[in-house]
Amino acid sequence: MLIQKSADIRPSEITPPELYARRREFLKTAAVLGAAALLPPVLHGNVARAADDDLKPTPYKDITSYNNFYEFGSSKTDPAEYAGGLKTKPWTVAVEGNCEKPGQYALEDFLAPHQPEERIYRLRCVEAWSMVVPWLGVPMSKILPRFQPTANAKYVEFTTLLDPAQMPGQRTRILDWPYVEGLRMDEAMHPLTLFATGLYGKELPNQNGAPLRLVVPWKYGFKSIKSIVKIRFTEEQPRTTWNLQAPHEYGFYANVNPDVDHPRWSQKRERRIGDLFRRDTLPFNGYAEQVAGLYAGMDLRKNF
Ligand code: MTE
């Protein structure tokens, strides 16, 4: 969790893309001058990390034109080209399964009363490229309790819209539609986990999963399911699209792990979009301090 603003932030207060680089410079200078020592502890932590060049946000243009969203085609440029027509307003999210308050919720009610916060996270794709994305989102831990999951709710399953008329990729059998994903309840409730609704201070572009997508920064990008229309509290581990497609290549956990290679390529290094040289991939994508405890005692080679 990095630059995080208070819950009552207005969209107009969010830093526009062109100011990001300058703000980073300011933070860097502040850290160098020792001004950081004067800041409150939480912000101090943010300054220390924001000063790290590792968190320079990837340009808006790259985040929104180099995408994976197979519902619109399998090439990286397809989503930006074909997702524009997806109708994201109005949008309804169904809540089902082991909870006291199931129902069909208008997106606004699903998120209410929470305003999106800004979080700058690394996104590491299983294809060994990465980005840094300034998301706008609401921590899932603020939203899920409202539906009063029961003691049997051990996992949350997420489902993307199924609508071949709007999503041309769904007219092919390239994946088993609709796209589904899942998290263990404690992963979903971890403070880093977001329902994202925007990036760079703006509404989420369709190609990035409008109007509602999952963001779990310590897992490979394929966990971050887009255009969510349903969540379901389950007792059993949910099935997930890429695991169904190729079980030996894509596990349920999908934790970023430089020590566990993909069967067809290494995961030790990654190419940050826009960089010339590759860099080392960090365990849990650099969030080990916050999340490693969730997996204490688990064999992460088996649970990949
Ligand atoms: N969600 C849906 N519904 N369909 C997809 O094809 N691709 C996943 C994930 N979410 C995908 C999806 C993969 S493989 C990645 S790496 C990320 O979205 C990419 O997110 P981005 O395009 O915003 O970078």
Side-chain angles (χ1 to χ4, degrees), residues 2 10 12 26 30 53 81 92 106 114 224 227 232 245 252:
L2 303 152
R10 291 194 307 272
S12 59
F26 166 75
D53 202 47
E81 199 172 339
T92 304
H114 309 289
S224 60
S227 304
R232 167 184 278 275
Q245 185 77 9
F252 175 80

Short mmCIF file of all heavy atoms in Angstrom, two decimals, residues 2 10 12 26 30 53 81 92 106 114 224 227 232 245 252:
data_model
loop_
_atom_site.label_atom_id
_atom_site.label_comp_id
_atom_site.label_asym_id
_atom_site.label_seq_id
_atom_site.Cartn_x
_atom_site.Cartn_y
_atom_site.Cartn_z
N LEU A 2 0.64 2.14 -0.92
CA LEU A 2 1.57 3.23 -1.03
C LEU A 2 0.89 4.55 -0.83
O LEU A 2 0.39 4.83 0.23
CB LEU A 2 2.34 3.07 -2.32
CG LEU A 2 2.97 1.68 -2.19
CD1 LEU A 2 3.18 1.05 -3.50
CD2 LEU A 2 4.19 1.75 -1.35
N ARG A 10 -12.34 13.81 -2.95
CA ARG A 10 -13.17 14.07 -4.13
C ARG A 10 -12.33 13.84 -5.37
O ARG A 10 -11.12 14.08 -5.36
CB ARG A 10 -13.65 15.53 -4.12
CG ARG A 10 -14.65 15.84 -3.03
CD ARG A 10 -15.34 17.17 -3.28
NE ARG A 10 -14.39 18.26 -3.49
CZ ARG A 10 -13.88 18.99 -2.48
NH1 ARG A 10 -14.22 18.74 -1.24
NH2 ARG A 10 -13.03 19.95 -2.74
N SER A 12 -11.86 15.52 -7.88
CA SER A 12 -11.15 16.72 -8.31
C SER A 12 -9.84 16.91 -7.54
O SER A 12 -8.97 17.66 -7.96
CB SER A 12 -12.04 17.94 -8.10
OG SER A 12 -12.38 18.04 -6.73
N PHE A 26 9.12 15.85 -5.84
CA PHE A 26 8.98 16.57 -4.59
C PHE A 26 9.21 15.63 -3.42
O PHE A 26 9.94 15.93 -2.47
CB PHE A 26 7.59 17.21 -4.48
CG PHE A 26 7.28 17.66 -3.07
CD1 PHE A 26 7.87 18.80 -2.56
CD2 PHE A 26 6.46 16.90 -2.26
CE1 PHE A 26 7.62 19.20 -1.26
CE2 PHE A 26 6.21 17.28 -0.95
CZ PHE A 26 6.79 18.43 -0.44
N ALA A 30 11.96 15.87 -0.57
CA ALA A 30 11.58 15.94 0.83
C ALA A 30 12.31 14.88 1.64
O ALA A 30 12.81 15.14 2.74
CB ALA A 30 10.06 15.76 0.96
N ASP A 53 12.39 4.73 -7.13
CA ASP A 53 12.06 4.83 -8.55
C ASP A 53 11.22 3.65 -9.01
O ASP A 53 10.56 3.69 -10.04
CB ASP A 53 13.35 4.94 -9.37
CG ASP A 53 13.06 5.57 -10.71
OD1 ASP A 53 12.36 6.60 -10.73
OD2 ASP A 53 13.52 5.04 -11.73
N GLU A 81 -8.91 -1.33 -28.61
CA GLU A 81 -9.59 -1.11 -29.90
C GLU A 81 -11.07 -1.48 -29.84
O GLU A 81 -11.91 -0.81 -30.44
CB GLU A 81 -8.87 -1.94 -30.97
CG GLU A 81 -9.19 -1.46 -32.36
CD GLU A 81 -8.33 -2.15 -33.41
OE1 GLU A 81 -7.25 -2.69 -33.06
OE2 GLU A 81 -8.76 -2.16 -34.58
N THR A 92 -24.97 -3.66 -12.55
CA THR A 92 -25.50 -4.32 -11.36
C THR A 92 -24.54 -5.42 -10.94
O THR A 92 -23.98 -6.11 -11.79
CB THR A 92 -26.88 -4.95 -11.69
OG1 THR A 92 -27.73 -3.91 -12.19
CG2 THR A 92 -27.52 -5.56 -10.47
N ALA A 106 -27.22 -2.22 -7.40
CA ALA A 106 -26.69 -1.24 -8.36
C ALA A 106 -25.26 -0.93 -7.93
O ALA A 106 -24.97 -0.88 -6.73
CB ALA A 106 -27.53 0.02 -8.33
N HIS A 114 -18.69 4.22 0.49
CA HIS A 114 -17.23 4.45 0.42
C HIS A 114 -16.83 5.16 -0.87
O HIS A 114 -17.32 4.83 -1.94
CB HIS A 114 -16.49 3.12 0.54
CG HIS A 114 -16.94 2.33 1.71
ND1 HIS A 114 -16.65 2.69 3.01
CD2 HIS A 114 -17.72 1.22 1.81
CE1 HIS A 114 -17.20 1.84 3.84
NE2 HIS A 114 -17.86 0.94 3.14
N SER A 224 -6.69 -10.57 -11.36
CA SER A 224 -7.43 -9.31 -11.23
C SER A 224 -8.53 -9.23 -12.29
O SER A 224 -8.45 -8.52 -13.28
CB SER A 224 -6.49 -8.11 -11.28
OG SER A 224 -5.78 -8.05 -12.49
N SER A 227 -14.50 -6.24 -15.10
CA SER A 227 -15.94 -6.08 -15.40
C SER A 227 -16.78 -7.10 -14.64
O SER A 227 -17.51 -7.91 -15.22
CB SER A 227 -16.18 -6.16 -16.91
OG SER A 227 -15.38 -5.20 -17.59
N ARG A 232 -19.75 -14.33 -5.19
CA ARG A 232 -20.45 -15.43 -4.50
C ARG A 232 -19.58 -15.92 -3.36
O ARG A 232 -18.38 -16.19 -3.57
CB ARG A 232 -20.72 -16.55 -5.51
CG ARG A 232 -21.14 -17.86 -4.90
CD ARG A 232 -21.28 -18.95 -5.96
NE ARG A 232 -22.56 -18.86 -6.63
CZ ARG A 232 -23.68 -19.41 -6.17
NH1 ARG A 232 -23.68 -20.14 -5.07
NH2 ARG A 232 -24.80 -19.28 -6.81
N GLN A 245 -8.10 -23.75 -17.73
CA GLN A 245 -7.51 -23.77 -19.06
C GLN A 245 -6.21 -24.58 -19.09
O GLN A 245 -5.99 -25.36 -20.00
CB GLN A 245 -7.22 -22.31 -19.45
CG GLN A 245 -6.70 -22.09 -20.84
CD GLN A 245 -7.83 -22.19 -21.86
OE1 GLN A 245 -9.00 -22.24 -21.48
NE2 GLN A 245 -7.49 -22.24 -23.12
N PHE A 252 -4.35 -21.79 -8.29
CA PHE A 252 -5.36 -20.95 -7.65
C PHE A 252 -4.71 -19.76 -6.97
O PHE A 252 -5.23 -18.64 -7.00
CB PHE A 252 -6.16 -21.76 -6.63
CG PHE A 252 -7.15 -20.92 -5.85
CD1 PHE A 252 -8.37 -20.57 -6.40
CD2 PHE A 252 -6.83 -20.45 -4.57
CE1 PHE A 252 -9.27 -19.77 -5.69
CE2 PHE A 252 -7.73 -19.66 -3.85
CZ PHE A 252 -8.95 -19.32 -4.42
#
